[in-house]
Structure formats: structure tokens, C-alpha cells
């Protein structure tokens, strides 16, 4: 789908809301906070912003409705972690927070992995390289580029830094719907797959780990790394342009810029 001028206005607003929500939640990330508390803070912020939470009650085909407003995935949890008062952040954890508010019918989808308190250098490096992989993908989201080229560049960077890509989860087209074509793999063959056109909007959301990237589902939603090692994810919603990509899930630091 190619976004119209109105769609772009709507997606910019939704993307900004998503970025703000994620930045807002950051203050609560410390040892002792439960992921249930993060979920309630997100629910409140979202309703105050006049938006609703796409994850809440979301059921992808056959799945049980997702019970949280956000996903909170700690350490070996690959993604789609279910917030709970029984899950408490502890010093040295890394936690991915994935938010998707819907504003005026448009979805903004973004996530980051945060260190909890003081983390090992290894954990921080995994987070940094994951963010680099995302940025490498974003830089290639321009008209004429191929999705296979984006996926290839992302995986190549991960491998060159000693990490693996978890292949079961992909980026996705997004707009009035949460998940649509094109599905954006974080691996691929250069110059293959869908060729990008200006106005396409999709997410890029690589998940990295060290070593064997095999996963196991522990319930209908939550996937964990079989090896028990750490995983990190980073995600943006991106608008393809003629000459450059626009990150929609970005909050400008200029106070006057609304
Ligand atoms: N935000 C996730 C994504 O990046 C999807 C979460 S679906 C949920 O696509 F139901 F688990 F919340
Ligand atoms: Co997504
Ligand atoms: Co997401």
C-alpha cells in the first residue's frame, strides 16, 4: 500500500505518539518495577493521549487475545512478553518494551531494549549492535531499493559483530492495520524481493542474540531463546522516501515541535 498525503499526516502523528510513549516509560525502568506497572503506566498515557493500545486484545489469526497494552520481553524472552505484576525487573536485566498506540485510526509501532540498572558490557554491546542493525535497515528504506538488500545488510552487520538474527519474527507493513504486507525479513539476498516505492510504510525490527538463534514458545505468545542467552530487539516504523527514509516513530527533542 502507498500512503496518501492524509495517511502520512496520520502516520506521523501516530508514530510520534508511539515514540513519546516509549520515552515516557523509560523513567519507570529500574530494579523493582514490575512489568505490570509498566503496562498500567502505558495504558494510562495512551488513553490520556486520546489513543488506544493495539496489542490489547489483539489476536493474530488463531491466537488468544494478547492481555497487555505493551509487550515487555526480558533477557532470553525473544518478544511478545506478557506484562505481569509477578514479573519484576532486576539489576542487570535487559528489557525490550514494544508499544503500538493507535491514534485517529493509524498505528505507530516502536520498541527499544533498555538496561535495568547496571548491566554487563556484553549486554550493552548486544543492545548497541541491535540498534545499529535497525539504523542500517532504515538507511536503505528508499525508493528503488529491494527488501532483500535491507535484510541482507542487517544480518551481515549482526554476523560481523558476532551475533545471530532470530528469523521467526519480521517487520511488517503498517497503517490503519497493525500487520500487513510487506513482511520485512532481517536476512535476505541483495537485489531480490519487493522493490520499494516512495510512500510505503513498514516496520524494521531485528532481534539479535549470541550463538544458536533457535526459539521455543512457552505459551501462545511468549517466545524464548532455547539457549537461555540474552536477546535484544529494536523497532521503528519507517516511511520510504524518494531519496531518504523517514523514521515516523521519532520524538524530536525540540520542546516547541509538536
Ligand atoms: N508490536 C509487535 C510488533 O512489533 C506486535 C505485538 S502483537 C501483541 O509487531 F499482541 F503481542 F502485542
Ligand atoms: Co512491529
Ligand atoms: Co512492535
Amino acid at each position: 500500500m502507498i500512503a496518501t498525503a492524509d495517511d502520512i499526516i496520520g502516520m506521523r502523528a501516530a508514530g510520534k505518539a508511539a515514540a513519546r510513549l516509549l520515552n515516557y516509560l523509560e523513567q519507570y525502568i529500574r530494579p523493582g518495577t514490575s512489568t505490570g506497572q509498566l503496562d498500567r503506566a502505558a495504558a494510562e498515557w495512551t488513553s490520556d493521549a486520546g489513543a488506544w493500545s493495539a496489542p490489547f486484545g489483539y489476536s493474530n489469526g488463531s491466537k488468544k487475545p494478547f492481555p497487555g497494552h505493551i509487550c515487555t520481553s526480558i533477557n532470553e524472552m525473544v518478544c511478545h512478553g506478557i506484562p505481569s505484576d509477578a514479573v519484576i525487573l532486576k539489576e542487570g536485566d535487559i528489557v525490550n518494551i514494544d508499544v503500538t498506540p493507535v491514534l485517529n485510526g493509524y498505528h505507530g509501532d516502536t520498541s527499544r531494549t533498555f538496561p535495568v540498572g547496571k548491566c554487563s558490557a556484553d549486554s550493552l554491546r548486544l543492545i548497541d549492535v541491535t540498534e545499529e542493525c535497525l539504523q542500517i535497515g532504515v538507511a536503505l528504506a528508499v525508493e528503488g531499493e529491494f527488501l532483500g538488500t535491507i535484510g541482507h545488510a542487517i544480518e551481515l552487520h549482526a554476523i560481523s559483530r558476532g551475533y545471530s538474527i532470530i528469523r521467526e519474527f519480521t517487520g511488517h507493513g503498517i497503517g490503519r492495520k497493525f500487520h500487513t504486507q510487506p513482511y520485512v525479513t532481517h536476512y535476505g539476498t541483495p537485489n531480490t524481493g519487493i522493490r520499494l516505492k516512495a510512500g510505503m510504510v513498514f516496520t524494521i525490527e531485528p532481534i539479535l542474540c549470541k550463538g544458536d538463534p533457535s526459539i521455543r514458545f512457552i505459551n501462545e505468545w511468549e517466545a524464548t531463546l532455547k539457549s537461555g542467552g540474552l536477546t535484544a530487539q529494536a523497532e521503528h516504523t519507517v516511511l520510504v522516501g524518494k531519496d531518504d527514509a523517514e523514521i515516523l516513530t521519532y520524538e524530536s527533542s525540540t520542546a516547541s515541535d509538536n
Side-chain angles (χ1 to χ4, degrees):
M1 198 209 79
I2 303 293
T4 64
D6 281 349
D7 291 335
I8 291 173
I9 291 168
M11 286 300 286
R12 282 192 181 127
K16 188 171 281 191
R20 282 190 174 157
L21 170 56
L22 195 55
N23 287 339
Y24 170 77
L25 292 175
E26 188 169 8
Q27 66 186 299
Y28 297 103
I29 298 171
R30 57 173 174 266
T33 299
S34 74
T35 56
Q37 284 174 274
L38 293 172
D39 191 65
R40 283 189 292 280
E44 198 172 314
W45 189 96
T46 302
S47 100
D48 287 352
W52 57 275
S53 309
F56 189 71
Y58 184 69
S59 112
N60 209 354
S62 58
K63 282 195 208 278
K64 257 214 263 184
F66 190 78
H69 297 79
I70 58 175
C71 298
T72 52
S73 308
I74 301 173
N75 297 340
E76 75 282 0
M77 182 83 68
V78 170
C79 64
H80 303 164
I82 297 172
S84 161
D85 289 337
V87 176
I88 316 274
L89 300 179
K90 59 179 200 309
E91 183 98 20
D93 282 345
I94 61 173
V95 60
N96 177 275
I97 313 268
D98 191 338
V99 303
T100 314
V102 185
L103 187 63
N104 297 321
Y106 292 100
H107 291 70
D109 190 2
T110 185
S111 89
R112 274 184 358 241
T113 300
F114 300 90
V116 179
K118 206 172 149 42
C119 282
S120 71
D122 266 9
S123 307
L124 297 176
R125 184 165 178 272
L126 171 64
I127 291 172
D128 286 350
V129 174
T130 302
E131 198 67 48
E132 288 165 14
C133 284
L134 171 58
Q135 292 301 334
I136 283 166
V138 166
L140 290 168
V142 293
E143 180 154 284
E145 198 53 88
F146 292 87
L147 279 186
T149 304
I150 294 182
H152 176 77
I154 289 171
E155 183 170 48
L156 193 65
H157 185 70
I159 289 172
S160 76
R161 295 296 185 265
Y163 296 104
S164 319
I165 293 285
I166 291 168
R167 294 188 168 214
E168 282 85 348
F169 300 95
T170 67
H172 48 91
I174 186 167
R176 290 187 174 276
K177 287 195 174 148
F178 197 168
H179 296 108
T180 69
Q181 287 187 336
Y183 291 94
V184 181
T185 61
H186 308 108
Y187 57 87
T189 306
N191 302 316
T192 65
I194 287 172
R195 195 152 193 196
L196 302 185
K197 290 194 181 71
M200 287 179 165
V201 181
F202 51 77
T203 72
I204 303 176
E205 46 183 300
I207 310 174
L208 275 67
C209 66
K210 209 164 224 164
D212 182 357
S214 303
I215 66 165
R216 166 170 43 228
F217 279 91
I218 57 171
N219 57 46
E220 262 189 290
W221 284 104
E222 298 182 299
T224 64
L225 195 66
K226 269 192 192 165
S227 73
L230 297 177
T231 68
Q233 182 172 26
E235 174 177 25
H236 274 309
T237 300
V238 175
L239 168 65
V240 174
K242 286 224 182 289
D243 304 305
D244 49 22
E246 180 178 333
I247 297 177
L248 297 175
T249 40
Y250 176 76
E251 180 183 18
S252 138
S253 53
T254 320
S256 60
D257 177 9
N258 288 309

